[in-house]
Coordinates of all heavy atoms in Angstrom, one line a residue:
M7 N 0.8 -1.2 0.0 CA 0.0 0.0 0.0 C 0.9 1.3 0.0 O 2.1 1.2 0.2 CB -1.0 0.0 1.2 CG -0.3 0.0 2.6 SD -1.5 -0.3 3.9 CE -1.5 1.3 4.7
Y8 N 0.2 2.4 -0.3 CA 1.0 3.6 -0.4 C 0.4 4.7 0.6 O -0.8 4.7 0.9 CB 0.9 4.2 -1.8 CG 1.6 3.3 -2.8 CD1 0.9 2.3 -3.4 CD2 2.9 3.5 -3.1 CE1 1.5 1.4 -4.3 CE2 3.5 2.7 -4.1 CZ 2.8 1.7 -4.7 OH 3.4 0.8 -5.6
C9 N 1.3 5.5 1.1 CA 0.9 6.6 2.0 C 0.0 7.5 1.3 O 0.2 7.9 0.2 CB 2.1 7.3 2.5 SG 1.7 8.8 3.5
R10 N -1.1 7.8 1.9 CA -2.1 8.7 1.3 C -1.7 10.2 1.4 O -2.4 11.1 0.9 CB -3.5 8.4 1.8 CG -3.8 9.0 3.1 CD -5.2 8.8 3.5 NE -5.3 7.7 4.5 CZ -6.3 7.7 5.4 NH1 -7.2 8.6 5.4 NH2 -6.3 6.7 6.3
Y11 N -0.7 10.4 2.2 CA -0.2 11.8 2.4 C 0.9 12.2 1.5 O 1.0 13.3 1.0 CB 0.1 12.0 3.9 CG -1.1 11.7 4.8 CD1 -1.1 10.5 5.5 CD2 -2.1 12.6 4.9 CE1 -2.2 10.2 6.3 CE2 -3.2 12.3 5.7 CZ -3.2 11.1 6.4 OH -4.3 10.8 7.2
C12 N 1.9 11.3 1.3 CA 3.0 11.6 0.5 C 3.2 10.7 -0.7 O 4.0 10.9 -1.5 CB 4.3 11.6 1.4 SG 4.8 10.0 1.9
G13 N 2.4 9.6 -0.7 CA 2.5 8.7 -1.8 C 3.6 7.6 -1.8 O 3.7 6.8 -2.7
K14 N 4.4 7.7 -0.7 CA 5.5 6.7 -0.6 C 5.0 5.4 -0.3 O 4.0 5.2 0.5 CB 6.5 7.2 0.5 CG 7.8 6.4 0.5 CD 8.6 7.0 1.7 CE 9.8 6.1 2.0 NZ 10.9 6.0 1.1
E15 N 5.6 4.3 -0.8 CA 5.2 3.0 -0.5 C 5.5 2.6 0.9 O 6.7 2.8 1.4 CB 5.9 2.0 -1.5 CG 5.2 0.6 -1.4 CD 5.7 -0.4 -2.5 OE1 6.6 0.0 -3.3 OE2 5.3 -1.5 -2.5
I16 N 4.6 2.0 1.6 CA 4.8 1.7 3.0 C 4.3 0.2 3.2 O 3.5 -0.3 2.5 CB 4.0 2.6 4.0 CG1 2.6 2.8 3.5 CG2 4.7 3.9 4.1 CD1 1.7 3.6 4.4
M17 N 4.7 -0.4 4.3 CA 4.4 -1.7 4.6 C 2.9 -1.8 5.1 O 2.4 -0.9 5.7 CB 5.3 -2.3 5.7 CG 6.7 -2.5 5.3 SD 7.6 -3.7 6.3 CE 7.8 -2.7 7.8
E18 N 2.3 -3.0 4.8 CA 0.9 -3.1 5.2 C 0.5 -2.9 6.6 O -0.5 -2.3 7.0 CB 0.4 -4.6 4.8 CG 0.3 -4.9 3.4 CD -0.8 -4.1 2.7 OE1 -1.8 -3.8 3.3 OE2 -0.6 -3.7 1.5
K19 N 1.5 -3.3 7.5 CA 1.2 -3.1 8.9 C 1.8 -1.9 9.6 O 1.8 -1.7 10.8 CB 1.7 -4.4 9.7 CG 0.8 -5.6 9.4 CD 1.5 -6.9 9.9 CE 0.7 -8.1 9.5 NZ 1.4 -9.4 9.8
A20 N 2.3 -1.0 8.7 CA 2.9 0.2 9.2 C 1.9 1.1 10.0 O 0.8 1.2 9.5 CB 3.6 1.0 8.1
V21 N 2.3 1.7 11.1 CA 1.4 2.5 11.8 C 1.7 4.0 11.4 O 0.8 4.8 11.4 CB 1.7 2.3 13.4 CG1 0.7 3.2 14.2 CG2 1.4 0.9 13.7
V22 N 2.9 4.3 11.2 CA 3.3 5.6 10.7 C 4.1 5.5 9.4 O 4.8 4.5 9.2 CB 4.1 6.4 11.7 CG1 3.2 7.0 12.8 CG2 5.3 5.6 12.3
C23 N 3.9 6.4 8.5 CA 4.6 6.4 7.2 C 6.1 6.7 7.5 O 6.5 7.6 8.2 CB 4.0 7.5 6.3 SG 5.0 7.7 4.8
A24 N 7.0 5.9 6.8 CA 8.4 6.0 7.0 C 8.9 7.3 6.2 O 9.9 7.8 6.5 CB 9.1 4.8 6.5
G25 N 8.1 7.7 5.2 CA 8.5 8.9 4.4 C 8.2 10.2 5.1 O 9.1 11.1 5.1
C26 N 6.9 10.4 5.5 CA 6.5 11.7 6.1 C 6.2 11.6 7.5 O 6.0 12.6 8.2 CB 5.4 12.2 5.3 SG 3.9 11.2 5.4
G27 N 6.1 10.4 8.1 CA 5.9 10.3 9.5 C 4.4 10.5 9.9 O 4.0 10.5 11.1
H28 N 3.6 10.5 8.9 CA 2.1 10.7 9.2 C 1.5 9.4 9.7 O 1.8 8.4 9.1 CB 1.4 11.1 7.9 CG 0.3 12.1 8.1 ND1 0.3 13.4 7.8 CD2 -0.9 11.9 8.7 CE1 -0.8 14.0 8.1 NE2 -1.6 13.1 8.7
P29 N 0.7 9.4 10.7 CA 0.0 8.2 11.2 C -0.9 7.7 10.1 O -1.7 8.4 9.5 CB -0.8 8.6 12.4 CG -0.2 9.9 12.8 CD 0.4 10.6 11.6
I30 N -0.8 6.4 9.8 CA -1.5 5.8 8.7 C -3.0 5.7 9.0 O -3.9 5.9 8.1 CB -1.0 4.4 8.4 CG1 0.5 4.4 8.1 CG2 -1.8 3.7 7.3 CD1 0.9 5.4 7.0
Y31 N -3.4 5.5 10.3 CA -4.8 5.3 10.6 C -5.5 6.5 11.2 O -6.5 6.4 11.7 CB -4.9 4.1 11.6 CG -4.5 2.8 11.0 CD1 -3.3 2.2 11.3 CD2 -5.4 2.1 10.2 CE1 -3.0 1.0 10.8 CE2 -5.1 0.9 9.7 CZ -3.9 0.3 9.9 OH -3.5 -0.9 9.4
E32 N -4.8 7.7 11.0 CA -5.4 8.9 11.6 C -6.8 9.1 11.3 O -7.6 9.4 12.1 CB -4.5 10.1 11.2 CG -4.8 11.3 12.1 CD -4.1 12.5 11.6 OE1 -4.3 12.9 10.5 OE2 -3.3 13.0 12.4
D33 N -7.2 9.0 10.0 CA -8.5 9.3 9.6 C -9.4 8.0 9.6 O -10.7 8.1 9.5 CB -8.5 9.9 8.2 CG -7.8 11.2 8.2 OD1 -7.9 11.9 9.2 OD2 -7.2 11.5 7.1
A34 N -8.8 6.8 9.6 CA -9.6 5.6 9.6 C -10.0 5.1 10.9 O -10.5 4.0 11.1 CB -8.8 4.5 8.8
G35 N -9.7 5.9 12.0 CA -10.0 5.4 13.3 C -8.9 4.6 13.9 O -7.8 4.5 13.3
E36 N -9.2 3.9 14.9 CA -8.2 3.0 15.6 C -7.8 1.9 14.7 O -8.6 1.2 14.0 CB -8.8 2.4 16.9 CG -8.8 3.4 18.0 CD -7.5 3.6 18.7 OE1 -7.0 2.6 19.3 OE2 -6.9 4.7 18.6
P37 N -6.5 1.6 14.7 CA -6.1 0.4 13.9 C -6.5 -0.9 14.6 O -6.7 -0.9 15.8 CB -4.5 0.5 13.9 CG -4.2 1.3 15.1 CD -5.4 2.2 15.3
P38 N -6.8 -1.9 13.9 CA -7.3 -3.2 14.5 C -6.1 -3.8 15.3 O -5.0 -3.9 14.9 CB -7.6 -4.1 13.3 CG -6.9 -3.5 12.2 CD -6.7 -2.1 12.4
R39 N -6.5 -4.2 16.5 CA -5.5 -4.8 17.4 C -6.0 -6.2 17.8 O -6.8 -6.4 18.7 CB -5.3 -4.0 18.7 CG -4.5 -2.8 18.5 CD -4.3 -2.0 19.7 NE -4.5 -0.6 19.5 CZ -4.8 0.3 20.5 NH1 -5.0 -0.2 21.7 NH2 -4.9 1.5 20.2
P40 N -5.5 -7.3 17.1 CA -6.0 -8.6 17.3 C -5.7 -9.1 18.7 O -6.5 -9.9 19.2 CB -5.1 -9.4 16.3 CG -4.5 -8.5 15.4 CD -4.4 -7.2 16.1
G41 N -4.7 -8.7 19.4 CA -4.4 -9.2 20.7 C -5.2 -8.5 21.8 O -5.1 -9.0 22.9
E42 N -5.9 -7.5 21.5 CA -6.7 -6.7 22.5 C -7.8 -7.6 23.0 O -8.5 -8.2 22.3 CB -7.2 -5.4 21.9 CG -7.6 -4.5 22.9 CD -7.9 -3.1 22.3 OE1 -6.9 -2.5 21.8 OE2 -9.1 -2.7 22.3
P43 N -8.0 -7.6 24.3 CA -9.1 -8.4 24.9 C -10.5 -7.8 24.5 O -10.6 -6.6 24.2 CB -8.9 -8.3 26.4 CG -8.1 -7.1 26.6 CD -7.2 -7.0 25.4
W44 N -11.4 -8.7 24.4 CA -12.8 -8.3 24.0 C -13.4 -7.4 25.0 O -13.1 -7.4 26.2 CB -13.6 -9.5 23.7 CG -13.2 -10.3 22.5 CD1 -12.0 -10.2 21.9 CD2 -14.0 -11.2 21.8 NE1 -12.0 -11.1 20.8 CE2 -13.2 -11.7 20.7 CE3 -15.3 -11.7 21.9 CZ2 -13.6 -12.6 19.8 CZ3 -15.7 -12.6 21.0 CH2 -14.9 -13.1 20.0
H45 N -14.3 -6.6 24.5 CA -15.1 -5.8 25.4 C -15.8 -6.7 26.4 O -16.3 -7.8 26.1 CB -16.1 -5.0 24.6 CG -16.8 -3.9 25.4 ND1 -17.9 -4.0 26.1 CD2 -16.4 -2.6 25.5 CE1 -18.2 -2.9 26.7 NE2 -17.3 -2.0 26.3
W46 N -15.9 -6.2 27.7 CA -16.5 -7.1 28.7 C -17.9 -7.4 28.5 O -18.4 -8.5 28.9 CB -16.3 -6.4 30.1 CG -17.1 -5.1 30.3 CD1 -16.8 -3.9 30.0 CD2 -18.5 -5.0 30.8 NE1 -17.8 -3.0 30.3 CE2 -18.8 -3.7 30.8 CE3 -19.4 -6.0 31.3 CZ2 -20.1 -3.2 31.2 CZ3 -20.7 -5.5 31.7 CH2 -21.0 -4.2 31.6
L47 N -18.7 -6.6 27.8 CA -20.1 -6.9 27.5 C -20.2 -8.1 26.6 O -21.1 -8.9 26.7 CB -20.7 -5.7 26.8 CG -21.5 -4.7 27.8 CD1 -22.0 -3.5 27.0 CD2 -22.7 -5.5 28.4
V48 N -19.3 -8.1 25.6 CA -19.2 -9.3 24.7 C -18.9 -10.5 25.4 O -19.5 -11.6 25.2 CB -18.2 -9.0 23.6 CG1 -18.1 -10.2 22.6 CG2 -18.5 -7.8 22.8
M49 N -17.9 -10.4 26.4 CA -17.6 -11.6 27.2 C -18.8 -12.0 28.0 O -19.0 -13.2 28.1 CB -16.4 -11.2 28.1 CG -15.1 -10.8 27.4 SD -14.5 -12.1 26.3 CE -13.8 -13.2 27.5
V50 N -19.4 -11.1 28.7 CA -20.6 -11.4 29.5 C -21.7 -12.1 28.7 O -22.3 -13.1 29.1 CB -21.1 -10.2 30.2 CG1 -22.5 -10.5 30.9 CG2 -20.1 -9.7 31.3
G51 N -21.9 -11.5 27.5 CA -22.9 -12.1 26.6 C -22.6 -13.5 26.2 O -23.4 -14.4 26.2
L52 N -21.3 -13.7 25.8 CA -20.9 -15.1 25.4 C -21.0 -16.1 26.6 O -21.5 -17.2 26.4 CB -19.4 -15.0 24.9 CG -19.2 -14.5 23.6 CD1 -17.7 -14.4 23.3 CD2 -19.8 -15.4 22.5
V53 N -20.6 -15.6 27.8 CA -20.7 -16.5 29.0 C -22.2 -16.8 29.2 O -22.6 -18.0 29.4 CB -20.1 -15.8 30.2 CG1 -20.4 -16.6 31.5 CG2 -18.6 -15.7 30.0
A54 N -23.1 -15.8 29.1 CA -24.5 -16.0 29.3 C -25.1 -17.0 28.3 O -25.8 -17.9 28.7 CB -25.2 -14.6 29.2
V55 N -24.7 -16.8 27.0 CA -25.1 -17.8 26.0 C -24.7 -19.2 26.3 O -25.4 -20.1 26.2 CB -24.6 -17.3 24.6 CG1 -24.9 -18.4 23.6 CG2 -25.4 -16.0 24.2
A56 N -23.4 -19.3 26.7 CA -22.8 -20.6 27.0 C -23.5 -21.2 28.2 O -23.8 -22.4 28.2 CB -21.3 -20.5 27.2
V57 N -23.7 -20.4 29.2 CA -24.3 -20.9 30.4 C -25.8 -21.2 30.3 O -26.3 -22.2 30.8 CB -24.1 -19.9 31.6 CG1 -24.9 -20.2 32.8 CG2 -22.6 -19.8 31.9
L58 N -26.5 -20.4 29.5 CA -27.9 -20.6 29.3 C -28.3 -21.6 28.2 O -29.2 -22.4 28.4 CB -28.6 -19.2 29.1 CG -28.6 -18.2 30.2 CD1 -29.2 -16.9 29.8 CD2 -29.4 -18.8 31.4
A59 N -27.6 -21.5 27.1 CA -27.9 -22.3 25.9 C -27.7 -23.8 26.2 O -28.5 -24.6 25.8 CB -27.2 -21.8 24.7
F60 N -26.6 -24.0 27.0 CA -26.2 -25.4 27.2 C -27.3 -26.2 28.0 O -27.8 -27.2 27.5 CB -24.9 -25.5 27.8 CG -24.4 -26.9 28.2 CD1 -24.3 -27.8 27.2 CD2 -24.2 -27.3 29.5 CE1 -23.9 -29.1 27.5 CE2 -23.8 -28.5 29.8 CZ -23.7 -29.5 28.8
P61 N -27.6 -25.7 29.2 CA -28.7 -26.5 30.0 C -30.0 -26.5 29.3 O -30.7 -27.5 29.4 CB -28.7 -25.8 31.3 CG -28.0 -24.5 31.1 CD -27.1 -24.6 30.0
L62 N -30.4 -25.3 28.7 CA -31.7 -25.3 28.0 C -31.8 -26.2 26.9 O -32.7 -27.0 26.7 CB -31.9 -23.8 27.5 CG -32.6 -22.9 28.5 CD1 -32.7 -21.5 27.9 CD2 -33.9 -23.4 29.0
G63 N -30.7 -26.2 26.0 CA -30.7 -27.2 24.9 C -30.7 -28.6 25.4 O -31.4 -29.4 24.8
L64 N -29.9 -28.8 26.4 CA -29.8 -30.2 27.0 C -31.1 -30.6 27.5 O -31.6 -31.7 27.3 CB -28.7 -30.2 28.1 CG -27.9 -31.5 28.2 CD1 -27.2 -31.9 26.9 CD2 -26.9 -31.4 29.4
F65 N -31.8 -29.7 28.3 CA -33.1 -30.0 28.9 C -34.1 -30.4 27.9 O -34.7 -31.5 28.0 CB -33.5 -28.7 29.7 CG -34.9 -28.9 30.3 CD1 -35.0 -29.7 31.4 CD2 -36.0 -28.2 29.8 CE1 -36.3 -29.8 32.0 CE2 -37.2 -28.3 30.4 CZ -37.4 -29.1 31.5
F66 N -34.3 -29.5 26.8 CA -35.3 -29.8 25.8 C -34.8 -31.0 25.0 O -35.7 -31.7 24.4 CB -35.6 -28.6 25.0 CG -36.3 -27.5 25.7 CD1 -35.7 -26.3 26.1 CD2 -37.6 -27.7 26.1 CE1 -36.4 -25.4 26.8 CE2 -38.4 -26.8 26.8 CZ -37.8 -25.6 27.1
G67 N -33.5 -31.1 24.8 CA -33.0 -32.3 24.0 C -33.4 -33.6 24.7 O -33.8 -34.5 24.0
I68 N -33.2 -33.6 26.0 CA -33.5 -34.9 26.7 C -35.0 -35.1 26.8 O -35.4 -36.3 26.6 CB -32.9 -34.8 28.2 CG1 -31.3 -34.9 28.1 CG2 -33.4 -35.9 29.1 CD1 -30.6 -34.5 29.3
I69 N -35.8 -34.1 26.9 CA -37.2 -34.2 26.8 C -37.6 -34.9 25.4 O -38.4 -35.8 25.4 CB -37.9 -32.9 27.0 CG1 -37.9 -32.5 28.4 CG2 -39.4 -33.0 26.5 CD1 -38.5 -31.1 28.7
G70 N -36.9 -34.3 24.4 CA -37.2 -34.9 23.1 C -36.7 -36.3 22.9 O -37.4 -37.1 22.3
L71 N -35.6 -36.6 23.6 CA -35.1 -38.0 23.5 C -36.0 -39.0 24.1 O -36.1 -40.2 23.7 CB -33.7 -38.0 24.2 CG -32.5 -37.6 23.3 CD1 -31.2 -37.6 24.2 CD2 -32.3 -38.6 22.2
R72 N -36.7 -38.6 25.2 CA -37.6 -39.5 25.9 C -38.9 -39.7 25.1 O -39.6 -40.7 25.4 CB -37.9 -38.9 27.3 CG -36.7 -38.9 28.2 CD -36.9 -38.2 29.5 NE -37.9 -38.9 30.3 CZ -38.3 -38.5 31.5 NH1 -37.7 -37.4 32.0 NH2 -39.1 -39.1 32.2
D73 N -39.2 -38.8 24.2 CA -40.4 -39.0 23.4 C -40.0 -39.7 22.1 O -39.1 -39.2 21.3 CB -41.0 -37.6 23.0 CG -42.3 -37.7 22.4 OD1 -42.6 -38.7 21.7 OD2 -43.1 -36.8 22.6
E74 N -40.5 -40.9 21.9 CA -40.1 -41.7 20.7 C -40.3 -41.0 19.4 O -39.4 -41.1 18.5 CB -41.0 -43.0 20.7 CG -40.3 -44.1 19.9 CD -39.0 -44.5 20.5 OE1 -38.9 -44.7 21.7 OE2 -38.0 -44.7 19.7
A75 N -41.3 -40.2 19.3 CA -41.6 -39.5 18.0 C -40.7 -38.3 17.8 O -40.5 -37.9 16.6 CB -43.1 -38.9 18.0
K76 N -40.1 -37.8 18.9 CA -39.2 -36.6 18.7 C -37.7 -37.0 19.0 O -36.9 -36.1 19.3 CB -39.6 -35.5 19.6 CG -41.0 -34.9 19.3 CD -41.5 -33.9 20.4 CE -42.9 -33.5 20.2 NZ -43.7 -33.5 21.4
K77 N -37.4 -38.2 18.9 CA -36.1 -38.7 19.3 C -35.0 -38.0 18.5 O -34.0 -37.6 19.0 CB -36.0 -40.2 19.1 CG -35.0 -40.8 20.1 CD -35.3 -42.3 20.3 CE -34.5 -42.8 21.5 NZ -35.0 -44.1 21.9
V78 N -35.2 -37.9 17.2 CA -34.2 -37.4 16.3 C -34.0 -35.9 16.6 O -32.8 -35.4 16.8 CB -34.6 -37.5 14.8 CG1 -33.6 -36.8 13.9 CG2 -34.7 -39.0 14.5
Q79 N -35.1 -35.1 16.8 CA -35.0 -33.7 17.1 C -34.3 -33.6 18.5 O -33.4 -32.7 18.6 CB -36.4 -33.1 17.2 CG -37.0 -32.8 15.9 CD -38.2 -33.8 15.7 OE1 -38.0 -35.0 15.8 NE2 -39.3 -33.3 15.3
G80 N -34.6 -34.4 19.4 CA -34.0 -34.4 20.7 C -32.5 -34.6 20.7 O -31.7 -33.9 21.3
A81 N -32.1 -35.6 19.9 CA -30.7 -35.9 19.7 C -29.9 -34.7 19.0 O -28.8 -34.4 19.4 CB -30.5 -37.2 18.9
V82 N -30.6 -34.1 18.0 CA -30.0 -33.0 17.3 C -29.8 -31.8 18.3 O -28.7 -31.2 18.4 CB -30.8 -32.6 16.1 CG1 -30.4 -31.3 15.5 CG2 -30.8 -33.7 15.0
L83 N -30.9 -31.5 19.0 CA -30.8 -30.4 20.0 C -29.8 -30.6 21.0 O -29.0 -29.7 21.4 CB -32.2 -30.3 20.6 CG -32.5 -29.0 21.4 CD1 -32.2 -27.8 20.5 CD2 -33.9 -28.9 21.9
T84 N -29.7 -31.8 21.6 CA -28.7 -32.1 22.6 C -27.3 -31.9 22.0 O -26.4 -31.3 22.6 CB -28.8 -33.6 23.1 OG1 -30.2 -33.8 23.5 CG2 -27.9 -33.9 24.3
T85 N -27.0 -32.5 20.8 CA -25.7 -32.4 20.2 C -25.4 -30.9 19.9 O -24.3 -30.5 20.2 CB -25.7 -33.2 18.9 OG1 -26.2 -34.5 19.1 CG2 -24.3 -33.3 18.3
V86 N -26.3 -30.2 19.3 CA -26.1 -28.8 19.0 C -25.8 -28.0 20.2 O -24.8 -27.2 20.2 CB -27.3 -28.2 18.2 CG1 -27.2 -26.7 18.1 CG2 -27.4 -28.8 16.8
S87 N -26.5 -28.2 21.3 CA -26.3 -27.4 22.5 C -24.9 -27.7 23.1 O -24.2 -26.8 23.6 CB -27.4 -27.6 23.6 OG -27.4 -29.0 23.9
V88 N -24.5 -29.0 23.1 CA -23.1 -29.3 23.6 C -22.1 -28.7 22.7 O -21.1 -28.1 23.2 CB -23.0 -30.9 23.6 CG1 -21.5 -31.2 23.8 CG2 -23.9 -31.5 24.6
I89 N -22.2 -28.7 21.4 CA -21.3 -28.1 20.4 C -21.2 -26.6 20.7 O -20.1 -26.0 20.7 CB -21.6 -28.5 19.0 CG1 -21.4 -30.0 18.7 CG2 -20.8 -27.6 18.0 CD1 -22.0 -30.5 17.4
M90 N -22.4 -26.0 20.8 CA -22.5 -24.5 21.0 C -21.7 -24.2 22.3 O -21.0 -23.2 22.3 CB -23.9 -24.1 21.1 CG -24.6 -24.0 19.8 SD -24.0 -22.8 18.7 CE -24.7 -21.3 19.4
A91 N -22.0 -24.9 23.4 CA -21.4 -24.6 24.7 C -19.8 -24.7 24.5 O -19.1 -23.9 25.0 CB -21.9 -25.6 25.7
L92 N -19.4 -25.8 23.9 CA -17.9 -26.0 23.7 C -17.3 -24.9 22.9 O -16.2 -24.4 23.2 CB -17.7 -27.4 23.1 CG -17.9 -28.6 23.9 CD1 -17.7 -29.8 23.1 CD2 -17.0 -28.6 25.1
L93 N -18.1 -24.5 21.8 CA -17.6 -23.4 20.9 C -17.5 -22.1 21.7 O -16.5 -21.4 21.6 CB -18.6 -23.3 19.8 CG -18.1 -22.7 18.5 CD1 -17.1 -23.8 17.9 CD2 -19.2 -22.4 17.5
M94 N -18.5 -21.8 22.5 CA -18.5 -20.5 23.3 C -17.4 -20.5 24.3 O -16.7 -19.6 24.5 CB -19.8 -20.4 24.0 CG -21.0 -20.1 23.1 SD -20.8 -18.5 22.2 CE -22.1 -18.6 21.1
L95 N -17.2 -21.7 24.9 CA -16.1 -21.8 25.9 C -14.7 -21.6 25.2 O -13.8 -21.0 25.7 CB -16.1 -23.1 26.6 CG -17.3 -23.3 27.6 CD1 -17.4 -24.7 28.2 CD2 -17.1 -22.3 28.8
A96 N -14.6 -22.2 24.0 CA -13.4 -22.0 23.2 C -13.1 -20.6 22.9 O -12.0 -20.1 23.0 CB -13.4 -22.9 22.0
I97 N -14.2 -19.9 22.5 CA -14.1 -18.5 22.1 C -13.7 -17.6 23.4 O -12.8 -16.8 23.3 CB -15.4 -17.9 21.5 CG1 -15.6 -18.6 20.1 CG2 -15.4 -16.4 21.4 CD1 -17.0 -18.4 19.6
I98 N -14.4 -17.9 24.5 CA -14.1 -17.1 25.7 C -12.7 -17.3 26.2 O -12.0 -16.4 26.5 CB -15.1 -17.6 26.8 CG1 -16.5 -17.1 26.4 CG2 -14.7 -17.0 28.2 CD1 -17.6 -17.9 27.2
S99 N -12.2 -18.6 26.1 CA -10.9 -18.9 26.6 C -9.8 -18.4 25.7 O -8.6 -18.5 25.9 CB -10.7 -20.4 26.9 OG -10.9 -21.1 25.7
G100 N -10.2 -17.9 24.5 CA -9.3 -17.3 23.6 C -8.7 -18.3 22.6 O -7.9 -18.0 21.8
L101 N -9.1 -19.6 22.7 CA -8.6 -20.7 21.9 C -7.1 -20.6 21.7 O -6.6 -20.3 20.6 CB -9.4 -20.7 20.6 CG -9.4 -22.0 19.8 CD1 -10.2 -23.1 20.7 CD2 -10.1 -21.9 18.5
Ligands
ZN221 ZN1 3.8 9.5 4.0

């Protein structure tokens, strides 16, 4: 990419231009920071989903499993809730 202030070629991850010293992200807002921890609200939401979705899915899944006619739905719901819970925990722990 090229500096939009002086036109000099700069590296993709450069924060300031080596040619003119102008901050690259000045007008585009904050540069993305992959290592930055997530906002606490997102974390709380994910924990809530993991904590609530798992027992609820399991509960209704087991109810479905006990009903011969809804056995397949129950099995699917149980499996999905377990996978969702594991996925959420993986995301929360940062994988
Ligand atoms: Zn520049």
